[in-house]
Amino acid sequence: MEFSGIVGGIPFISLFIFTGILVNLIQVSCYLTIWPVSKSTFRRINGAITELLWLEVVWLMEWWSGFERVGCLRSALTIVKKTTRYLPVFGWTNWFSESIFLDRNWAKDESKLKSSFEALSDYPTPFWMTIFVEGTRLTADKLVEAQSFASSKGYPIPKNVLIPKTKGIVTAVQSLRSFVPAIYDVTIAIPKHQPFFPTLLTFLKMQPCKVVVRIKRYSTKDLPESDQGIAQWCRNRFIAKDELLENFAATGTFDEEEITEFRRSTKSLIVTLIFAGIFLVGGWIFLKRLSSGWQYPTLATIIGSVAIVVHIFIEFTKMPPPKIKATQICTQ
């Protein structure tokens, strides 16, 4: 039930909001004082404090819900829809970290992408830029739309992926290839025997899940030079992804060597325990300073507000319900 997830999520989200506000305040101070003097120094400081916040998310997945991770937090950037920047803590932190927020309107987004990519040319540390080439989450409805589009264009009919939107990846490759050495093609699969899809709600309810990730590296210098060539290269990757996922659905594996042993991050545990201690001591001192008549109403108001935030985050990460019945489109 979602109620149990909300109740279970109140302690973590309270800590996450507390840490996030501290991080955001430091980001604002550094942005106003350090950015005008040294953009490189600001980026280094911002990466260090941002990592502290994301380590709490790592702790949630690894230590609380039993999920594992491989990745980079300090300079992890992403391209997301514009509305996410208004999410408390999450959106604000990503804005200071120079993630790219798009309107999903190419007339507006093209110049935004180019200028944002160019601004990364002097980034002081190695960074990761995550691009979801499909531009949206895979749902039954959107898969049907993708199959119809592929049929109308004479493309192979996808069974497990959407049709990639190539304008963004073309702009990314052409803008970044001079200082970004590689593209990592990531394919994520959920075993079909797993009873649920991993979401924030499943993490908060301490439900461990298995996610199989296939990663293939492509050197940017080996990619096609022309825009059309890059676009076709991207479409070919998604055709290959579809075949990989179809095989995974049948066999439960990508038929490649799997790395399954990962140590849980001690760093995320230490950071979370430190901030939890600061949060508990600070909260206790704050409540003790209130008059006795205001302590319980204030605590109830804080818990109720956090519960609302937990509900908002859960709803934001839910998969939308299907509007139409998913069907397989076949061609002769």
Side-chain angles (χ1 to χ4, degrees):
M1 293 178 61
E2 183 176 316
F3 178 76
S4 63
I6 292 177
V7 173
I10 287 176
F12 172 76
I13 297 298
S14 298
L15 176 61
F16 184 75
I17 292 174
F18 169 76
T19 308
I21 290 174
L22 289 180
V23 168
N24 291 157
L25 289 174
I26 296 172
Q27 287 177 314
V28 170
S29 300
C30 292
Y31 185 81
L32 294 176
T33 58
I34 299 176
W35 175 278
V37 178
S38 174
K39 184 166 62 174
S40 178
T41 302
F42 169 81
R43 284 169 165 172
R44 291 180 184 276
I45 296 174
N46 183 70
I49 60 175
T50 298
E51 183 184 24
L52 298 177
L53 181 63
W54 298 145
L55 279 169
E56 290 186 359
V57 180
V58 172
W59 174 86
L60 173 68
M61 293 187 290
E62 288 189 339
W63 293 91
W64 183 260
S65 69
F67 194 70
E68 298 291 352
R69 68 88 183 87
V70 175
C72 170
L73 294 178
R74 182 165 295 211
S75 300
L77 314 178
T78 188
I79 300 177
V80 291
K81 59 183 178 181
K82 189 176 181 179
T83 53
T84 61
R85 73 178 178 184
Y86 303 111
L87 285 175
V89 178
F90 176 83
W92 306 336
T93 303
N94 273 321
W95 186 86
F96 281 110
S97 298
E98 298 181 76
S99 288
I100 303 173
F101 299 90
L102 300 182
D103 291 282
R104 290 184 172 180
N105 181 326
W106 185 245
K108 297 179 180 179
D109 293 337
E110 182 178 14
S111 59
K112 173 66 175 177
L113 277 175
K114 289 181 178 179
S115 61
S116 298
F117 289 145
E118 290 171 1
L120 296 174
S121 61
D122 60 351
Y123 209 85
T125 59
F127 65 86
W128 299 72
M129 172 63 72
T130 303
I131 302 176
F132 298 92
V133 186
E134 308 96 310
T136 187
R137 290 180 291 181
L138 174 65
T139 65
D141 297 337
K142 291 172 183 176
L143 179 58
V144 170
E145 294 174 1
Q147 291 171 336
S148 299
F149 177 80
S151 179
S152 67
K153 294 292 185 179
Y155 296 159
I157 306 299
K159 300 178 182 178
N160 308 282
V161 298
L162 303 181
I163 305 297
K165 298 179 179 179
T166 58
K167 290 181 179 178
I169 188 66
V170 168
T171 302
V173 171
Q174 299 291 39
S175 301
L176 299 174
R177 71 192 313 161
S178 63
F179 56 93
V180 172
I183 289 178
Y184 288 86
D185 177 15
V186 180
T187 304
I188 301 175
I190 310 296
K192 63 180 179 181
H193 59 77
Q194 190 158 272
F196 55 84
F197 189 87
T199 64
L200 176 60
L201 179 60
T202 63
F203 294 147
L204 295 176
K205 293 171 68 175
M206 300 179 67
Q207 295 178 324
C209 60
K210 181 179 180 180
V211 177
V212 182
V213 181
R214 179 184 184 270
I215 304 175
K216 186 173 178 62
R217 184 183 188 277
Y218 295 91
S219 173
T220 51
K221 68 179 182 180
D222 296 332
L223 298 182
E225 294 292 334
S226 68
D227 291 357
Q228 295 81 0
I230 297 170
Q232 187 58 51
W233 174 86
C234 180
R235 285 190 286 267
N236 290 342
R237 298 286 68 74
F238 271 76
I239 293 172
K241 280 178 183 289
D242 198 36
E243 295 174 355
L244 279 169
L245 291 170
E246 190 70 10
N247 180 69
F248 182 90
T251 64
T253 179
F254 284 129
D255 290 333
E256 296 176 348
E257 181 182 359
E258 292 188 6
I259 302 174
T260 58
E261 296 297 325
F262 297 103
R263 292 183 179 180
R264 291 190 292 187
S265 169
T266 304
K267 188 177 183 180
S268 69
L269 177 62
I270 293 173
V271 167
T272 301
L273 289 176
I274 290 174
F275 276 107
I278 296 172
F279 174 64
L280 291 174
V281 172
W284 182 80
I285 293 174
F286 171 74
L287 290 175
K288 288 291 288 184
R289 289 185 174 180
L290 293 176
S291 60
S292 58
W294 284 97
Q295 290 177 346
Y296 290 111
T298 301
L299 183 60
T301 300
I302 292 173
I303 293 175
S305 301
V306 173
I308 293 173
V309 173
V310 174
H311 176 70
I312 292 172
F313 274 103
I314 289 174
E315 289 297 316
F316 191 83
T317 58
K318 273 185 177 179
M319 296 295 287
K323 298 178 182 178
I324 56 178
K325 183 178 179 181
T327 57
Q328 177 66 40
I329 295 181
C330 299
T331 56
Q332 299 296 328

